[in-house]
Amino acid sequence: MADVAGTIGSARPVRRRRLVSALTAGLALSLLSPVPASAADVPSRVPAEETGTGNRTATVSITEVSPAVPDDTLTIRGTITNEGDSPIIDSTLDPRLGVPLTTRNAIEDAATRTGFDISLDGGLITGHGQQIERLGPGMSTTFELQVPVSELSLGEDGVYQIGVTLTGQTEAEQWGDQILGAGRTVLPWQPDPGSTETTQLTILWPLISTPHLTAQTGSDVEQTPAFRDEALLEEISPGGRLHEMVALGADLPVTWVIDPDLLASVDAMTEDYQVYTDDGLEAGHGQDEARAWLGALREAVEGDEVVALPFGDPDLASLAHQGRDVPGSLGQLRTATDLAAVTVETTIGVEPSTDFAWPVEGAIDPSIVSVATSAGATNIIARSDSLRPAAGENATLTAARPIGGGISALVADAGLSTLFEGDMTRTAAALQAQQQLLAQTLAITLQEPANQRSIVLAPQRMPTTAQARAMAAALQALSDDAGWVEFTGLSEAARAEPDPRANQQVPPASAYPERLRSQELPTSAFHQMRETQRTLDDFAVILTRQDRVTVPYGNAIRREMSTSWRGDEEAGEEYREELQEDLIALTEQVHLIQKSPITLSGRSATIPITVQNNLVQDVHNLELRLESSRSLGLEVGDEQEVRVNGGHSQSVKFSATSRANGRTTLVAQLYTADGKRYGDPMQFQANVTSITSAVLMVIAGGLLLVVLAGIRMYTQRKRAARRAATAAPDETVSGEESGSDTGPQGSGPAAGSERLDLDD
């Protein structure tokens, strides 16, 4: 960017006088602390001591100042509005002499001044005014003045206040001319651009948005991303904030500061995606806009430096003050930093710088610096209203300075960085900011003309469309006309030689602005993030394709730390609660199917338990345990390993042995491989009837038959013995009786009948 300024400067003759001012945008600017004008400068049509109503009667707004070539004409355009109750009559708008402003404080203080003061507003320039027609109450009219530069009485290099005044009467007060309204702006003037060293200026151009993408992709086969609303599409569409930021930044000498989450979200829109509406999820239709925006961004950043913030733009101050002691919080910041480079490279093909941390509004204290550097940052983008200049130091010093531990602070200039934070929809306000940027940078250069310094402008994180346009117009004017400025990237600014006079002491925690502290995420938010991360970790161990869940939900957890939640605590809390609820609902897709009460008949049985997996991927690393409340009455088998295909169920069977009748409660519980409970337990009742009444009757009948058979055998043997004793004298008769009654041992009819009875 130095070549641009150098080329412009070399194209102009050294002796040509140069007036630098605005390109576009408007300004009803009351400014600046000048040198008193002499009485000879007072026009003849008004009393020697000019008096006026200030802006109580009329508002004079300068909306355009066209820079003139040396010794040529300055064009001043604007509007006049009658704020009074009486018509303005017989009035003239006239330019006034330039009033030198020698310090930055004088430029800043004059911006808030209202009314008219002859000692501060310079003498009247006659012959170049404009007659204003009758102007009724509440009515407005435009004006255009052509003023020769030679008439402005501009002297040596510096910043000058240029003003215009409306002189005349009202119908209600016609006793004499008076100043009815005044408008002012400032002009940087450098007739000899080679007389000073240029000031190196780094402009941060932020591409940051609020979180838009949800985590709800884990149960979807195609993993179709779901967006909270259509806000991101509006921002990247023509006329939207982010569309304008890319289009405007493409032609500016800036350093792009990008939240990788924004790129990931827009990239997700290039394919099929869904959007939450009042009627539920609906298909998104912003694919063309997303592709066009990413394509434009790739072209815009070509040749420029790109700085990647940690993924999701985490709130470093909230983390330092509220979440540092919550386990896992610093780990989230480290992961967010690691994701930054790969996300930017993947989406826009640029290798970014990732060693810069940017706390909100550049406010720092020791804990913020410690947290930022814990994730690998070596440069902290601070601001001069936090790390203030040393006492008695009035010059604006080089931004880079060491703050200990090998860490550097890049202290952005607060005055320049906040110029475009107001309502830039008014052209007068936009011109005021533009002219202030031109004037302030020249004032910085002229503080120490022989000492080149490097300064940084770090604007608000998410400029509005109007703010972005005003800033772009001012930077274009600075690039085109400010020979005292040389543009550099942020990394080059970090390498600049520090000024030994600069304050290198990080302010204490007590100096952190209470306004910013009140906007921080509460400690409860970090505890909630930790609980969500625990749920995710426990869920991931059972998944066969973990990345389908850990990536979208892990990124969503990091979005919970976004700086954009500041000032919108309710929305941040809602986002965190929805994320936790969605993740729990996803884990519940793997569950036990409730069993109805069962009856166990017999001493042993098999008990089936069904595991349902409604996910679109397989689950494993699970085991199922079944426990009985009456371990002595009913024993169940050991735990069973579980693996279930996506969209299916599996029945796991447990053996059970009963020892006593009665009711018992059985509890089934899934566990992960590391022994943690998974999901809710499932309870059901079992009625053990191992020895039923029918079984008892059968057993009793069998015992009775055995007893009867025993008695019969006993009586038969007794009878046989008596017969044998009676027939002993007659062997023949005895033998015949024995053979015909009992038969040979083990083969007679009586012996076979007993064995069958026993079997029976």
Side-chain angles (χ1 to χ4, degrees):
M1 302 308 163
D3 294 339
V4 176
T7 302
I8 295 173
S10 62
R12 299 183 180 123
V14 173
R15 293 183 174 274
R16 298 178 67 192
R17 296 165 60 89
R18 204 160 54 81
L19 179 63
V20 180
S21 143
L23 290 180
T24 61
L27 162 65
L29 179 60
S30 69
L31 273 182
L32 312 164
S33 103
V35 188
S38 65
D41 294 324
V42 180
S44 58
R45 65 163 291 169
V46 295
E49 294 184 3
E50 289 182 298
T51 61
T53 63
N55 289 339
R56 294 193 302 274
T57 299
T59 297
V60 180
S61 300
I62 298 176
T63 58
E64 182 181 347
V65 178
S66 297
V69 296
D71 299 323
D72 204 347
T73 303
L74 176 69
T75 300
I76 305 174
R77 296 185 177 92
T79 61
I80 303 170
T81 302
N82 185 352
E83 305 288 358
D85 299 327
S86 177
I88 296 175
I89 60 174
D90 190 23
S91 61
T92 304
L93 187 79
D94 299 292
R96 307 196 75 89
L97 294 173
V99 179
L101 304 169
T102 57
T103 67
R104 293 189 66 187
N105 286 338
I107 298 173
E108 294 171 358
D109 293 343
T112 60
R113 185 166 61 86
T114 60
F116 173 80
D117 188 331
I118 182 59
S119 66
L120 301 176
D121 284 299
L124 194 70
I125 300 176
T126 60
H128 301 285
Q130 177 179 328
Q131 188 73 30
I132 304 300
E133 298 295 331
R134 185 179 188 276
L135 194 62
M139 302 298 291
S140 297
T141 189
T142 60
F143 67 85
E144 178 179 321
L145 302 181
Q146 305 288 331
V147 185
V149 173
S150 58
E151 295 284 340
L152 295 173
S153 296
L154 304 179
E156 58 185 11
D157 293 10
V159 177
Y160 291 82
Q161 172 187 290
I162 301 297
V164 294
T165 52
L166 180 67
T167 305
Q169 304 174 3
T170 66
E171 283 188 352
E173 300 176 346
Q174 300 186 32
W175 50 79
D177 289 338
Q178 58 183 331
I179 304 297
L180 302 178
R184 305 170 188 85
T185 187
V186 289
L187 292 175
W189 171 251
Q190 190 184 33
D192 185 6
S195 62
T196 62
E197 289 283 350
T198 58
T199 296
Q200 293 182 330
L201 177 62
T202 300
I203 308 293
L204 304 190
W205 197 253
L207 288 184
I208 300 171
S209 187
T210 57
H212 297 283
L213 195 58
T214 71
Q216 297 185 40
T217 62
S219 59
D220 190 327
V221 176
E222 293 81 14
Q223 285 206 287
T224 305
F227 285 77
R228 302 171 63 204
D229 48 40
E230 290 279 19
L232 183 56
L233 176 57
E234 295 174 2
E235 286 195 299
I236 65 174
S237 296
R241 184 182 70 86
L242 291 173
H243 182 277
E244 290 297 294
M245 289 292 291
V246 171
L248 295 169
D251 298 323
L252 298 173
V254 298
T255 294
W256 300 80
V257 181
I258 301 177
D259 176 8
D261 178 40
L262 171 61
L263 302 187
S265 298
V266 177
D267 186 61
M269 294 176 62
T270 60
E271 304 295 338
D272 291 341
Y273 70 95
Q274 295 178 312
V275 180
Y276 278 96
T277 68
D278 294 338
D279 299 324
L281 278 172
E282 296 183 359
H285 302 287
Q287 289 84 356
D288 292 342
E289 289 83 354
R291 296 187 189 107
W293 188 82
L294 285 175
L297 178 59
R298 293 186 188 102
E299 294 181 5
V301 301
E302 187 174 354
D304 294 337
E305 182 177 8
V306 175
V307 171
L309 299 174
F311 190 96
D313 187 23
D315 190 338
L316 299 177
S318 292
L319 185 56
H321 299 155
Q322 308 295 337
R324 186 176 185 178
D325 295 332
V326 178
S329 296
L330 293 180
Q332 293 287 2
L333 178 60
R334 166 61 72 176
T335 304
T337 302
D338 294 340
L339 279 174
V342 65
T343 303
V344 173
E345 289 184 50
T346 301
T347 51
I348 61 174
V350 173
E351 183 177 354
S353 301
T354 59
D355 58 342
F356 293 92
W358 190 13
V360 64
E361 295 189 13
I364 62 173
D365 63 20
S367 63
I368 295 175
V369 173
S370 176
V371 164
T373 56
S374 70
T378 57
N379 298 286
I380 313 295
I381 302 172
R383 210 165 71 180
S384 59
D385 51 354
S386 177
L387 209 162
R388 297 180 180 276
E393 182 58 61
N394 295 319
T396 301
L397 304 180
T398 290
R401 63 198 63 176
I403 56 175
I407 307 302
S408 294
L410 288 172
V411 183
D413 187 90
L416 301 181
S417 299
T418 57
L419 281 175
F420 302 92
E421 291 185 356
D423 179 9
M424 295 291 120
T425 59
R426 298 183 302 111
T427 51
L431 182 63
Q432 176 184 7
Q434 173 180 296
Q435 294 303 107
Q436 283 283 323
L437 178 62
L438 292 166
Q440 294 281 358
T441 52
L442 179 57
I444 291 171
T445 302
L446 295 177
Q447 286 172 347
E448 298 179 359
N451 179 24
Q452 184 180 69
R453 282 153 293 160
S454 172
I455 60 176
V456 174
L457 188 159
Q460 60 270 43
R461 267 175 154 73
M462 290 188 283
T464 65
T465 301
Q467 289 169 341
R469 289 171 179 166
M471 188 161 53
L475 294 178
Q476 192 64 59
L478 200 63
S479 176
D480 291 345
D481 296 319
W484 57 85
V485 167
E486 174 187 350
F487 293 96
T488 62
L490 189 60
S491 293
E492 186 173 351
R495 293 191 295 268
E497 186 68 26
D499 194 309
R501 298 172 294 170
N503 177 22
Q504 301 176 11
Q505 186 66 40
V506 176
S510 59
Y512 190 79
E514 188 59 35
R515 173 181 60 85
L516 296 180
R517 192 180 293 273
S518 65
Q519 299 174 354
E520 292 176 351
L521 296 173
T523 303
S524 59
F526 291 94
H527 283 291
Q528 196 168 0
M529 287 180 237
R530 182 192 183 197
E531 187 61 31
T532 303
Q533 185 64 56
R534 281 179 172 177
T535 304
L536 180 60
D537 293 341
D538 292 342
F539 185 41
V541 298
I542 75 167
L543 303 175
T544 54
R545 298 186 61 184
Q546 296 183 356
D547 61 301
R548 291 176 63 89
V549 175
T550 56
V551 171
Y553 279 91
N555 289 343
I557 291 172
R558 284 175 277 280
R559 293 185 190 107
E560 293 180 331
M561 297 192 299
S562 174
T563 302
S564 65
W565 298 123
R566 279 181 172 262
D568 198 356
E569 183 177 349
E570 183 177 350
E573 184 176 358
E574 180 181 351
Y575 187 88
R576 294 190 297 273
E577 289 178 351
E578 288 180 352
L579 179 61
Q580 175 71 358
E581 291 171 359
D582 293 340
L583 182 56
I584 290 176
L586 191 61
T587 65
E588 291 173 347
Q589 297 299 306
V590 180
H591 63 277
L592 299 173
I593 295 180
Q594 182 65 46
K595 288 184 69 67
S596 58
I598 63 173
T599 299
L600 300 178
S601 300
R603 295 178 57 84
S604 62
T606 299
I607 304 175
I609 306 294
T610 302
V611 182
Q612 180 70 45
N613 175 16
N614 290 326
L615 299 176
V616 295
Q617 62 171 294
D618 301 348
V619 295
H620 64 166
N621 290 333
L622 280 171
E623 63 179 32
L624 180 60
R625 301 178 190 176
L626 184 63
E627 298 179 353
S628 170
S629 62
R630 295 176 58 201
S631 58
L632 296 178
L634 181 66
E635 294 181 356
V636 295
D638 295 335
E639 62 272 8
Q640 300 281 339
E641 184 178 347
V642 177
R643 181 185 179 101
V644 189
N645 293 335
H648 291 77
S649 62
Q650 177 182 331
S651 181
V652 181
K653 297 180 179 180
F654 288 86
S655 61
T657 303
S658 62
R659 298 184 180 275
N661 289 348
R663 287 185 174 275
T664 185
T665 299
L666 293 174
V667 180
Q669 175 69 62
L670 286 169
Y671 287 83
T672 58
D674 54 0
K676 294 181 179 179
R677 291 177 179 269
Y678 183 87
D680 296 328
M682 188 267 290
Q683 296 184 0
F684 61 97
Q685 296 292 322
N687 184 22
V688 181
T689 57
S690 301
I691 308 176
T692 65
S693 58
V695 173
L696 290 174
M697 290 178 65
V698 172
I699 294 175
L703 290 175
L704 179 59
L705 290 175
V706 171
V707 171
L708 292 175
I711 294 173
R712 181 183 177 190
M713 291 175 64
Y714 176 76
T715 57
Q716 285 180 343
R717 288 179 180 177
K718 291 290 287 183
R719 190 180 303 118
R722 285 196 300 270
R723 290 175 181 172
T726 304
D730 189 350
E731 292 291 332
T732 303
V733 174
S734 176
E736 292 175 357
E737 291 179 357
S738 177
S740 62
D741 203 17
T742 63
Q745 185 178 359
S747 61
S753 174
E754 288 177 358
R755 185 176 299 111
L756 182 60
D757 291 339
L758 287 172
D759 292 340
D760 292 340

